[in-house]
Amino acid sequence: MATPETHVEPLSIGEVAERTGLSVHALRFYEREGLLVGPVRRTTGGRRRYTAFDVDWLLICVKLRESGMPLADLKRFAELVRHGPGNEAERLRLLDTHRQRVDAQIQALEECRSVIAWKVGVYAEHLARGEAGGLWDPTA
C-alpha cells in the first residue's frame, strides 16, 4: 500500500475512477458518506485531487463492498482507520465478522454449484443416450 509520501502526482477524480472501477458519482458518494480515510484535497479551483494512498484505500473498499460488506460496516471501518492506532482489535472484529459472512456465502455457493453440476450431469447423460425427452416435463 502506498503512503502519502510515495505519491508523485495528485490524481483527478476521472483518473481515480479509471483506476478503481468506481464511477465519478460513486467517488463523490464515498467522500460524502465518510468512507475515505482522509479528506480529499482540492485545487484552488475546487477540483478534487487524490493520492496513491487514496487509490489504495478505495481498492480495498471496492473489494469489501463487492464481497457484500454493508455500507455501515465499511463506514465504521473507515472511521476506525481515520482515528489511527489503538482500535486495531475493533477493526479485526469487524473484518473477521465480514470474513465469516463471506465464508458462509462461499459455502452456500459451493452447495449450489454442486446441485447445478449434478443436474448438468443428468441432462448430459440423458442427451448422450438420446433419452432427453420427458426430463422435467410438466405435461407428462
Side-chain angles (χ1 to χ4, degrees):
M1 181 176 281
T3 62
E5 298 80 33
T6 61
H7 75 87
V8 178
E9 289 284 322
L11 303 165
S12 71
I13 196 168
E15 291 168 322
V16 173
E18 187 176 307
R19 290 181 188 200
T20 62
L22 293 168
S23 68
V24 168
H25 176 75
L27 287 168
R28 289 184 185 121
F29 173 80
Y30 271 47
E31 182 181 356
R32 197 171 48 251
E33 291 297 313
L35 298 173
L36 300 175
V37 174
V40 175
R41 291 175 173 39
R42 294 187 181 252
T43 66
T44 54
R47 293 184 181 268
R48 290 170 175 82
R49 302 308 285 171
Y50 294 85
T51 65
F53 180 83
D54 295 325
V55 172
D56 287 344
W57 173 255
L58 286 163
L59 290 170
I60 291 168
C61 290
V62 165
K63 290 303 176 193
L64 291 173
R65 287 294 291 151
E66 283 179 356
S67 63
M69 179 178 270
L71 204 51
D73 288 355
L74 183 56
K75 199 180 247 188
R76 178 67 182 145
F77 185 56
E79 180 183 315
L80 291 168
V81 172
R82 258 193 314 279
H83 281 111
N87 58 31
E88 292 82 4
E90 188 174 350
R91 293 184 214 179
L92 176 59
R93 278 191 301 275
L94 194 146
L95 290 171
D96 192 48
T97 298
H98 181 61
R99 183 190 52 78
Q100 289 174 28
R101 277 192 306 262
V102 169
D103 288 345
Q105 290 172 334
I106 290 169
Q107 177 64 36
L109 285 172
E110 286 174 347
E111 291 170 9
C112 292
R113 182 177 55 195
S114 177
V115 169
I116 293 166
W118 167 72
K119 213 49 196 159
V120 164
V122 168
Y123 276 82
E125 183 180 317
H126 278 81
L127 285 171
R129 289 193 318 241
E131 301 172 357
L135 278 174
W136 287 88
D137 182 355
T139 62

